[in-house]
Every structure is written in structure tokens, then in C-alpha cells.
Amino acid sequence: MPSSHSALVCSMTVGMARKTGLGSPEFALAFLIAAVVMYDAMGVRRAAGEHAKVLNQIVSFFNKDSQVIQSGKPSKREKDAEAPASSDKQLKEFLGHTPLEVLAGALLGILIAMTVPIF
């Protein structure tokens, strides 16, 4: 359930804070990377997954509709034009994380980084 990407970048950020301090450029860079990764995980990639769901539904609807409308044998030219549309390949729908999964990953990463000793 938790986002492993969020856990990784949060543990890296906490580790940098513990090692170099909150005022260091290393911590600032780690914090920015963590913010971008978590935003991408729950925002951009999740929206792409929602779009994939809708596109798969549309393709499925048109494939069923074209089978009902079509009568008789299609010509060779019609078969060639239909080949890509009749493919069973669907878009990946589960690309991103919910905000709860990102939060759980972030908390897990922070917890792990706080328990591991600094060398």
C-alpha cells in the first residue's frame, strides 16, 4: 500500500537533515527532490491512470459497437484498417498513488530514517 518512492525520498531527506543540518544546500536539494517525486506519484501519474481508464472504456465501447454494426464479411482493406483498433492491448490504468498511499510511504520513510543510526 505505501508508496516506496515516497518512503525512499523522505528517508533521504530526513537523513540529509540529520547529517548536514536543516540549513544545508544538500538538505534543500533532497527536500525539493522529495516534493517533486511525491507530487508526481499522486498527481501527474495518477491523472494519467485515470485517463487510461477512460480511454480503455472508450475503445471497448467502440469495439463492441463496431461488431454489432458490421454485417457480412469485411473487405481486406477494412480488415487492415481495423487491425490496430481490434487489438486486445489496453493501457495501464494503475500508474500513480492515492494521497493516502503517498502519506503512508512518507511516514514510513521518516520513521525508518529516524531509527537508523548516522555514521
Side-chain angles (χ1 to χ4, degrees), residues 5 12 18-19 29 31 39-41 43 46 49 53 59 70 86 90 96 105 109 114:
H5 293 95
M12 174 187 64
R18 291 179 66 195
K19 184 83 170 173
L29 185 61
F31 181 81
Y39 175 77
D40 180 62
R46 181 132 178 98
K53 277 184 194 175
V59 168
Q70 207 172 43
S86 64
Q90 290 194 340
M114 295 301 287

Side-chain angles (χ1 to χ4, degrees), residues 42-57:
M42 76 178 168
V44 177
R45 293 183 72 210
R46 181 132 178 98
E50 294 297 322
H51 289 148
K53 277 184 194 175
V54 172
L55 287 172
N56 285 338
Q57 289 173 352

Side-chain angles (χ1 to χ4, degrees), residues 4 7-8 10-12 14-15 18 104-118:
S4 60
L8 175 71
C10 282
S11 63
M12 174 187 64
V14 171
R18 291 179 66 195
L107 293 175
L108 180 64
I110 291 169
L111 179 69
I112 290 171
M114 295 301 287
T115 59
V116 173
I118 298 175

Side-chain angles (χ1 to χ4, degrees), residues 2-86:
S3 166
S4 60
H5 293 95
S6 297
L8 175 71
V9 294
C10 282
S11 63
M12 174 187 64
T13 303
V14 171
M16 277 296 156
R18 291 179 66 195
K19 184 83 170 173
T20 62
L22 293 174
S24 70
E26 291 89 356
F27 169 74
L29 185 61
F31 181 81
L32 288 175
I33 290 171
V36 168
V37 167
M38 289 189 296
Y39 175 77
D40 180 62
M42 76 178 168
V44 177
R45 293 183 72 210
R46 181 132 178 98
E50 294 297 322
H51 289 148
K53 277 184 194 175
V54 172
L55 287 172
N56 285 338
Q57 289 173 352
I58 290 171
V59 168
S60 174
F61 173 77
F62 281 120
N63 281 342
K64 287 178 187 173
D65 195 36
S66 69
Q67 290 171 357
V68 171
I69 292 174
Q70 207 172 43
S71 62
K73 268 188 155 176
S75 68
K76 179 165 174 40
R77 187 174 186 184
E78 289 172 344
K79 281 183 186 176
D80 291 343
E82 269 187 32
S86 64

